[in-house]
Amino acid sequence: MKVRVLVRPKSGILDPQGEAVRRALPALGFSGVKTVHIGRLVEMEVESADKVEGMCRRLLANPTVEEYEWEVIS
Amino acid sequence: MGGDLLVRIGVTVFPGSNCDRDALYAVERAGATPVELWHADADLKGVDAVVVPGGFSYGDYLRPGAIARFAKVMGPLEDFARSGGPVLGVCNGFQVLLEAHLLPGALLRNASMRFVSRRVRARVEANDTPWTSLYERGEELTLPVAHNEGSYFADERTLRGLEEEGRVVLRYVENPNGSVNDIAGICDEGRSVVGLMPHPERVSDPALGSEAGLKVFESVLRFAGAKV
């Protein structure tokens, strides 16, 4: 099965990457963007979804500064 | 002190480490015997202290330090650290120690979004660690930094604990990366595990323009030498 994991900075954590993109968008004429947060997308093919939670907690995300969610996509 | 050569200080080498040679050199210049510890080694070869050097271990894939943390040598290194052995992580090595939960918090992308590579002034805030004992408390040093993810972050409770327990070891006088409370280095509860963002090994010889960092290695040599 395929699993999709989404990792993003916790709210309140400085996200300079998102901030840089937010500032760059108006330069291209895209106005009205209030916030941008940039995370990481991990897609995996796994035999079972049993261990995905552990994978997220122990490696794919750093729970100190990131939050994650995951779903089975097929 | 002829006995000092009996002190063996290990330097871990991961694929992508690039300050390992400098660290080995600084150890030797301080007067100890440098020992290379390969990432696939199953033991620490009986060393008295370990330096986890800077670089881009495993290409910084996923997050800096995230993959190195699972290298074979990290098992014995974590045991060594948890039993009070002196461990120093520099730059990427600091990131590795954070990922391994030997130190609290995390290092985020620099606030400027730029890689910073320059010398900065920093103040020694704690000299009661094996790695800083030869410095004066409050002493200002000029040290090189070279990193993209050097902005130290910890939640409020952790931060309060670090400050109250005097575990901020080094503090920027001029903050180059947005670190909370200008933190440049911290230690663990036992004070023997230290992580620093600046590179003391790069200023360990007058030929490099300064030897402001040499006392880091001399400090641990004295600490370990007292035990050998």
Side-chain angles (χ1 to χ4, degrees):
Chain A
M1 63 175 66
K2 279 191 180 164
V3 171
R4 180 177 288 159
V5 181
L6 199 58
V7 182
R8 59 163 76 95
K10 276 186 182 169
S11 66
I13 302 274
L14 198 66
D15 178 10
Q17 198 175 189
E19 185 55 23
V21 170
R22 188 191 65 79
R23 284 200 306 257
L25 285 168
L28 292 172
F30 298 107
S31 59
V33 180
K34 293 206 175 88
T35 60
V36 176
H37 289 293
I38 296 182
R40 185 187 308 122
L41 181 72
V42 184
E43 285 184 345
M44 302 186 291
E45 256 188 273
V46 293
E47 282 172 7
S48 111
D50 292 352
K51 302 215 165 109
V52 174
E53 184 64 26
M55 293 177 197
C56 292
R57 214 173 40 242
R58 294 198 56 212
L59 181 61
L60 301 180
N62 178 349
T64 307
V65 287
E66 294 170 329
E67 57 189 24
Y68 59 86
E69 57 193 67
W70 60 272
E71 58 179 342
V72 176
I73 50 172
S74 67
Chain B
M1 295 190 287
D4 283 348
L5 283 172
L6 293 172
V7 175
R8 292 155 51 83
I9 301 179
V11 177
T12 58
V13 185
F14 302 103
S17 295
N18 66 11
C19 301
D20 44 316
R21 292 276 149 192
D22 311 49
L24 289 161
Y25 177 81
V27 164
E28 191 170 12
R29 188 145 193 286
T33 299
V35 179
E36 207 172 272
L37 301 172
W38 186 237
H39 65 92
D41 285 348
D43 70 278
L44 298 182
K45 300 183 183 170
V47 296
D48 303 290
V50 180
V51 179
V52 185
F56 299 85
S57 60
Y58 300 89
D60 275 354
Y61 292 164
L62 195 60
R63 297 178 302 276
I67 311 285
R69 181 256 160 119
F70 296 99
K72 199 168 179 186
V73 77
M74 287 303 290
L77 189 145
E78 285 173 33
D79 294 341
F80 179 75
R82 294 213 161 91
S83 64
V87 176
L88 172 71
V90 175
C91 196
N92 187 234
F94 186 7
Q95 293 161 340
V96 173
L97 298 183
L98 291 165
E99 285 283 342
H101 307 299
L102 291 171
L103 291 170
L107 286 156
L108 303 172
R109 198 81 178 264
N110 296 341
S112 63
M113 284 300 285
R114 289 166 193 254
F115 190 98
V116 289
S117 178
R118 59 186 166 95
R119 294 193 174 192
V120 298
R121 283 190 305 137
R123 193 169 57 240
V124 177
E125 298 270 278
N127 63 357
D128 54 347
T129 84
W131 300 96
T132 53
S133 61
L134 293 177
Y135 291 101
E136 298 294 327
R137 194 159 174 269
E139 188 175 344
E140 275 190 26
L141 308 173
T142 300
L143 299 169
V145 292
H147 57 247
N148 198 36
E149 284 89 4
S151 181
Y152 183 77
F153 174 85
D155 62 50
E156 248 170 68
R157 199 164 59 94
T158 306
L159 208 55
R160 203 165 45 237
L162 287 174
E163 294 288 0
E164 282 173 6
E165 293 159 27
R167 287 165 56 196
V168 176
V169 175
L170 195 67
R171 205 185 298 271
Y172 297 116
V173 175
E174 38 192 334
N175 188 336
N177 53 33
S179 276
V180 64
N181 290 17
D182 300 326
I183 287 174
I186 57 169
C187 68
D188 72 336
E189 281 176 14
R191 313 197 72 81
S192 57
V193 180
V194 171
L196 301 176
M197 224 41 218
H199 287 270
E201 78 285 356
R202 292 192 187 176
V203 277
S204 60
D205 188 316
L208 297 167
S210 162
E211 51 181 354
L214 186 63
K215 280 190 201 162
V216 167
F217 304 93
E218 291 174 336
S219 294
V220 79
L221 173 60
R222 173 191 277 195
F223 175 87
K227 291 187 172 177
V228 170

